[in-house]
Amino acid sequence: MTGTDGKSRGINTRLAHSGHEPRSYHGFVQPPVVHASTVLFPDAGTMASRNQRYTYGTRGTPTSDALASAIDALEGSAGTICVPSGLAAVTVPLLSFLSAGDHVLIVDSVYNPTRRFADTMLARLGVEVEYYPPELGAGIASVMKPNTKVVWTESPGSNTFEMQDIPAICEAAHAGGAIVMMDNTWATPLFFKPLDHGVDISVHAATKYPGGHSDVLLGTVSANDACWDRLHEGFLTLGTCAGPDDVYLVQRGLKTMGVRLQRHGESALALAQWLEGQPGVKQVLHPALPSFPGHDLWKRDFCGASGLFSIVLEGGGTEKAHAFLDALEIFGLGYSWGGHESLAVHVYLGDRTVSRTDYGGPLIRLQIGLEDVADLKADLAAGLEAANAAA
């Protein structure tokens, strides 16, 4: 989005104005919420040729177009699809680009439902699934095969936040004839734009920061020019369109995502820095901390950090983790993240196959919401006190 002077607008200006032109719909600021299945044609010839913008509800509406257009403006993508959940945003591109006999490489720190889909459905459909360690970088070339079609990345990794060298992976993957997909939910395109770094397809659980209020399920998938047609065809074939009310909620949430993300990130970093010095905390896993092993990659490629990170408690096991969690009052115990409220969960790492690490204590993942930092600090202090007492 540029002004009449040719200068690019700031990110919050773009978020506030992308995706819908009020003058295109009677001046109303928000796009219309179109509930549609059947679309009428003016005559038989138009119906036979389908020569009009909208032909059926599954193939797009003004509501879905508004969100897709806004996401394209952020991603710099050729096109975006809106699907019913973050997991659908994972499965649709994988199903669209993989066939029986193909080989897919998936980072071992991947979101667990992605692993479950790969190990069950993809394997059943005849796709060869292999996991690789997140720090492999350009070394991805050493595990590629002639039939490797997709390299799946996620940076930072789920729960433990390992950073990947995305540009190096893209270069090696493309040299071997594979495309690169990336789950970029943690950073959003505000802090990292995958397609600018060589990624072909960018995946987001819009349930998280774009929605922002823990009340909607949605996913978006954005592709570059080379991959857009195939992604879009797979989307239409699978019939995975999102409902208009959910799309509308994410479109509305997108308008404030910039200011919310700034708050999430600042609060999370402040708490991560404080937690590094607290008794009972063995390690803080936050890419923006200089102490974090992947900090240099984060600093090189990312322009911000969101509100999700983990801590490792000093020794102990499930009993200690539960003592910590049960002592919390402000932090809710729940999955997902990206909403206005803070959450905590005991992390399970038993699904990993090639990057198992003994962290020396239970991992607690923290989603930092929009509450006051002083209150969250006091709540975490109470959790640590209970955990230390349970040691």
Side-chain angles (χ1 to χ4, degrees):
M1 179 181 180
T2 57
T4 55
D5 57 2
K7 295 181 179 179
S8 179
R9 302 302 194 196
I11 188 61
N12 287 304
T13 303
R14 283 182 279 155
L15 285 169
H17 293 277
S18 293
H20 175 60
E21 170 51 60
R23 284 181 290 276
S24 69
Y25 194 75
H26 309 293
F28 289 109
V29 171
Q30 290 288 8
V33 181
V34 177
H35 294 82
S37 55
T38 301
V39 178
L40 299 180
F41 299 85
D43 51 59
T46 304
M47 186 177 189
S49 64
R50 297 190 178 187
N51 188 27
Q52 65 182 36
R53 173 64 189 90
Y54 299 108
T55 58
Y56 196 72
T58 58
R59 303 180 74 89
T61 69
T63 309
S64 60
D65 280 355
L67 179 58
S69 175
I71 298 297
D72 283 336
L74 296 175
E75 293 272 17
S77 45
T80 291
I81 59 172
C82 303
V83 294
S85 68
L87 181 56
V90 170
T91 62
V92 168
L94 287 172
L95 287 172
S96 299
F97 284 84
L98 290 169
S99 303
D102 289 345
H103 176 240
V104 59
L105 286 166
I106 300 175
V107 65
D108 202 33
S109 53
V110 72
Y111 170 59
N112 178 264
T114 302
R115 183 188 299 272
R116 184 168 64 247
F117 172 75
D119 290 348
T120 56
M121 189 167 290
L122 285 185
R124 180 172 61 81
L125 294 175
V127 176
E128 182 184 357
V129 177
E130 183 178 352
Y131 295 93
Y132 67 92
E135 66 274 8
L136 197 57
I140 197 81
S142 67
V143 292
M144 290 187 66
K145 300 180 179 181
N147 61 332
T148 303
K149 301 300 182 183
V150 172
V151 175
W152 184 274
T153 66
E154 183 178 333
S155 185
S158 283
N159 297 319
T160 44
F161 304 94
E162 296 92 341
M163 298 299 302
Q164 293 191 260
D165 191 337
I166 297 298
I169 289 172
C170 291
E171 183 177 359
H174 292 157
I179 68 166
V180 179
M181 302 180 183
M182 180 177 179
D183 185 336
N184 191 42
T185 303
W186 182 87
T188 82
L190 272 63
F191 294 154
F192 184 80
K193 294 179 68 172
L195 273 60
D196 286 357
H197 294 266
V199 172
D200 300 285
I201 292 180
S202 175
V203 168
H204 291 278
T207 301
K208 310 300 196 287
Y209 290 119
H213 294 82
S214 302
D215 58 359
V216 62
L217 291 169
L218 200 88
T220 64
V221 190
S222 303
N224 59 18
D225 284 314
C227 294
W228 167 241
D229 286 344
R230 185 165 177 178
L231 173 67
H232 189 235
E233 183 60 31
F235 164 70
L236 295 177
T237 302
L238 290 166
T240 49
C241 59
D245 294 305
D246 294 336
V247 171
Y248 168 77
L249 284 174
V250 172
Q251 162 76 5
R252 186 175 70 167
L254 206 63
K255 304 303 183 185
T256 61
M257 185 172 72
V259 292
R260 288 187 285 104
L261 260 179
Q262 181 178 0
R263 171 75 176 200
H264 286 296
E266 290 175 352
S267 297
L269 185 56
L271 288 167
Q273 291 168 336
W274 171 77
L275 282 163
E276 278 199 302
Q278 296 307 300
V281 176
K282 181 179 179 63
Q283 188 179 1
V284 180
L285 307 178
H286 189 309
L289 291 176
S291 59
F292 187 73
H295 175 73
D296 288 343
L297 281 175
W298 172 83
K299 189 174 181 180
R300 185 192 73 184
D301 293 340
F302 288 62
C303 61
S306 62
L308 192 76
F309 67 97
S310 291
I311 60 173
V312 182
L313 299 180
E314 187 73 59
T318 299
E319 182 181 356
K320 188 168 188 174
H322 286 190
F324 176 89
L325 295 174
D326 289 341
L328 301 173
E329 294 184 0
I330 297 175
F331 282 81
L333 307 187
Y335 297 99
S336 195
W337 43 273
H340 56 279
E341 80 290 9
S342 292
L343 299 170
V345 63
H346 183 199
V347 171
Y348 171 74
L349 296 177
D351 58 345
R352 303 211 174 170
T353 59
V354 297
S355 60
R356 293 181 180 272
T357 299
D358 181 4
Y359 284 93
L363 267 74
I364 305 293
R365 191 185 72 186
L366 301 173
Q367 131 78 6
I368 307 304
L370 302 178
E371 303 94 339
D372 291 306
V373 169
D375 294 330
L376 295 177
K377 188 179 292 185
D379 208 33
L380 292 171
L384 290 173
E385 182 179 356
N388 294 336

